[in-house]
Amino acid sequence: MTGDTDLSPARLRHARFAIAAVFCTHGAVTGSFATRIPWIQDHAQLGSGTLGLALAFPALGAALAMPLAGRINHRFGARSALRGLLCLWTLSLILPALAPNLVTLCAALFVYGATAGMSDVAMNALGVETENRLGRSIMSSLHGMWSVGALLGSAAGTVAAHLGADARLHHAVVALALTAVGLVAVRGVLDLKGDQEAQAPPHFTLPPRSALLIGAIGFCAVFAEGASLDWSAVYLRDVLHTDAGLAAASTTAFALTMAVARLVGDRVVDRFGAVRTVRAGGVLATLGGVLVVAVRHPAGALAGFALIGLGIAVVVPLAFAAAGRSGPAPAQAIAGVATITYTSGLIAPSAIGAVADATSLVVSFGLVTVLAFALVLGAAVLRPKQAAGSTDPINRDEPAPIGP
């Protein structure tokens, strides 16, 4: 990669804050959309089943479009690609609320998901490059900033819904505001360009071999995340027979521990390395799954979901970081891992429901516990390839030295 010639510590710190603002902006779009889904459902006159069908289209669009991000990065350079893709993503927020029926909503959500996925790959690829130049882990906190953005977007959306605001107006205003914020943020990121003499990545390709095992680790973590977010409240209500308020608290406990762990996770990764961090996280997530399945009491389930969130929080950021250092085409490898993880997020909620229908929710979360334990067994695939003579903690899986 070439481009920015100023790689001074001050420039790199500025680039880090800029890419963090990009992650926050990306998350704010998701949070803004999620809070207005009931309005969009009513506007398009959809039932629960047809809404579920429509909500599969963002993941479908993302999975199909993400492999294109590597070629866009190669053609335009990291900063220009991110600028264009992030603008498309923020502006796509306008589309779903305009859809009057199922067909148009599915089309709108396909575009929404495609732009989300491509911009996701572009910002993660640039995040990995920034991390490499800083020489210390930042990917966990970047994903933590995504969670902060989602929280801010959902908070604003909650206020808009409470006031009865038309989602078309709400999303138009938010989309324009976030587009402006994103354009300002992108100005500060590193301006990196690939070798123009190198062969451009194909328009569409299956995930590279280097991304498959790394993607499998991400798959396990995202499956546990999707299952816990969508089914934890149902588990407490239907299995443990709690009231709605306590059931909702399980989702809050899970999301809160994930966000906090991501914001502080970089210090842990720098101290203990990626493999040890994911292995320990897998142990915590497995223990959480055991509590959910074995302790038939609300307190045990709440603690279990909190531990699952804590245990899997940094896995996906570390999977993206490992993919970005796994071969000569970082954006392509990250796109492969992202495709696998998005697929996991797509199938997890329905898979949990299918297993629950055939057996029970307890058995479903037994499956989640098994996948959490797979993180313990498979963490070694995240071990960075050490360059000759390197003592950089980013390029090895050993504890970083304590001190300045």
Side-chain angles (χ1 to χ4, degrees), residues 216-226 312 315-316 344 371 375:
I217 291 297
F219 181 98
C220 294
V222 172
F223 192 99
E225 179 181 353
I312 67 173
V315 176
V316 171
S344 178
L371 291 177
L375 298 176

Side-chain angles (χ1 to χ4, degrees), residues 280-302:
V283 171
L284 290 176
T286 302
L287 176 59
V290 170
L291 286 175
V292 169
V293 172
V295 179
R296 300 299 179 85
H297 189 278
L302 288 171

Side-chain angles (χ1 to χ4, degrees), residues 205-265:
T205 183
L206 293 174
R209 190 181 310 172
S210 62
L212 291 179
L213 289 177
I214 297 171
I217 291 297
F219 181 98
C220 294
V222 172
F223 192 99
E225 179 181 353
S228 298
L229 280 174
D230 288 1
W231 287 95
S232 58
V234 178
Y235 186 93
L236 263 77
R237 184 194 65 190
D238 292 355
V239 176
L240 304 180
H241 310 294
T242 66
D243 59 40
L246 188 58
S250 64
T251 304
T252 303
F254 175 83
L256 181 61
T257 54
M258 272 202 73
V260 171
R262 281 180 169 174
L263 288 172
V264 303

Side-chain angles (χ1 to χ4, degrees), residues 16 19 23 120 123-132 136-145 262 265-266 269 313-314 316-322 325 334 394:
R16 178 188 178 177
I19 193 66
F23 271 76
D120 188 287
M123 70 185 191
N124 273 285
L126 197 45
V128 170
E129 293 292 345
T130 305
E131 178 180 86
N132 289 342
R136 54 192 172 87
S137 177
I138 65 169
M139 289 302 292
S140 178
S141 62
L142 291 182
H143 282 254
M145 287 303 297
R262 281 180 169 174
D266 290 321
V269 175
V314 301
V316 171
L318 290 177
F320 282 136
R325 292 188 287 269
I334 290 171
I394 289 296

Side-chain angles (χ1 to χ4, degrees), residues 18 34 42 50 59 108 123 139 177 180 253 294 342 386:
D42 292 341
T50 49
M123 70 185 191
M139 289 302 292
Y342 267 69
Q386 183 174 346

Side-chain angles (χ1 to χ4, degrees), residues 3-398:
D4 253 309
T5 56
D6 180 10
L7 296 178
S8 65
R11 172 69 183 103
L12 290 174
R13 284 195 298 271
H14 181 69
R16 178 188 178 177
F17 291 133
I19 193 66
V22 169
F23 271 76
C24 187
T25 302
H26 195 285
V29 178
T30 300
S32 299
F33 168 72
T35 55
R36 304 314 303 272
I37 289 176
W39 190 98
I40 294 170
Q41 179 183 12
D42 292 341
H43 179 67
Q45 299 180 336
L46 304 180
S48 297
T50 49
L51 176 64
L53 173 64
L55 290 176
F57 275 77
L60 178 62
L64 292 177
M66 279 188 293
L68 299 174
R71 191 175 184 90
I72 294 172
N73 250 28
H74 178 86
R75 173 66 178 82
F76 297 102
R79 182 191 290 172
S80 296
L82 180 59
R83 180 186 295 115
L85 292 172
L86 186 65
C87 284
L88 289 175
W89 163 234
T90 53
L91 292 173
S92 74
L93 177 63
I94 298 172
L95 298 178
L98 299 177
N101 54 49
L102 175 63
V103 174
T104 53
L105 180 59
C106 288
L109 290 177
F110 183 90
V111 174
Y112 173 87
T115 56
M118 289 190 293
S119 56
D120 188 287
V121 170
M123 70 185 191
N124 273 285
L126 197 45
V128 170
E129 293 292 345
T130 305
E131 178 180 86
N132 289 342
R133 282 155 177 78
L134 280 167
R136 54 192 172 87
S137 177
I138 65 169
M139 289 302 292
S140 178
S141 62
L142 291 182
H143 282 254
M145 287 303 297
W146 189 96
S147 298
V148 170
L151 179 61
L152 292 174
S154 63
T158 299
V159 172
H162 180 72
L163 296 176
D166 189 305
R168 291 169 293 189
L169 175 61
H170 166 218
H171 281 174
V173 171
V174 171
L176 293 175
L178 290 178
T179 299
V181 171
L183 286 172
V184 172
V186 170
R187 290 177 62 186
V189 303
L190 295 179
D191 186 17
L192 303 175
K193 301 181 185 300
D195 184 358
Q196 294 302 307
E197 296 182 359
Q199 183 178 2
H203 285 92
F204 184 85
T205 183
L206 293 174
R209 190 181 310 172
S210 62
L212 291 179
L213 289 177
I214 297 171
I217 291 297
F219 181 98
C220 294
V222 172
F223 192 99
E225 179 181 353
S228 298
L229 280 174
D230 288 1
W231 287 95
S232 58
V234 178
Y235 186 93
L236 263 77
R237 184 194 65 190
D238 292 355
V239 176
L240 304 180
H241 310 294
T242 66
D243 59 40
L246 188 58
S250 64
T251 304
T252 303
F254 175 83
L256 181 61
T257 54
M258 272 202 73
V260 171
R262 281 180 169 174
L263 288 172
V264 303
D266 290 321
R267 296 180 182 179
V268 178
V269 175
D270 282 337
R271 179 66 183 88
F272 297 103
V275 174
R276 291 182 179 91
T277 300
V278 170
R279 194 165 283 150
V283 171
L284 290 176
T286 302
L287 176 59
V290 170
L291 286 175
V292 169
V293 172
V295 179
R296 300 299 179 85
H297 189 278
L302 288 171
F305 285 118
L307 283 174
I308 293 174
L310 182 64
I312 67 173
V314 301
V315 176
V316 171
L318 290 177
F320 282 136
R325 292 188 287 269
S326 66
Q332 186 180 352
I334 290 171
V337 170
T339 301
I340 295 170
T341 57
Y342 267 69
T343 301
S344 178
L346 174 64
I347 69 173
S350 57
I352 291 296
V355 173
D357 282 343
T359 55
S360 69
L361 268 177
V362 175
V363 175
S364 294
F365 277 95
L367 172 61
V368 171
T369 305
V370 171
L371 291 177
F373 186 67
L375 298 176
V376 181
L377 301 178
V381 304
L382 301 181
R383 179 172 287 114
K385 296 179 180 179
Q386 183 174 346
S390 173
T391 58
D392 187 340
I394 289 296
N395 293 320
R396 59 191 175 93
D397 193 65
E398 298 176 7

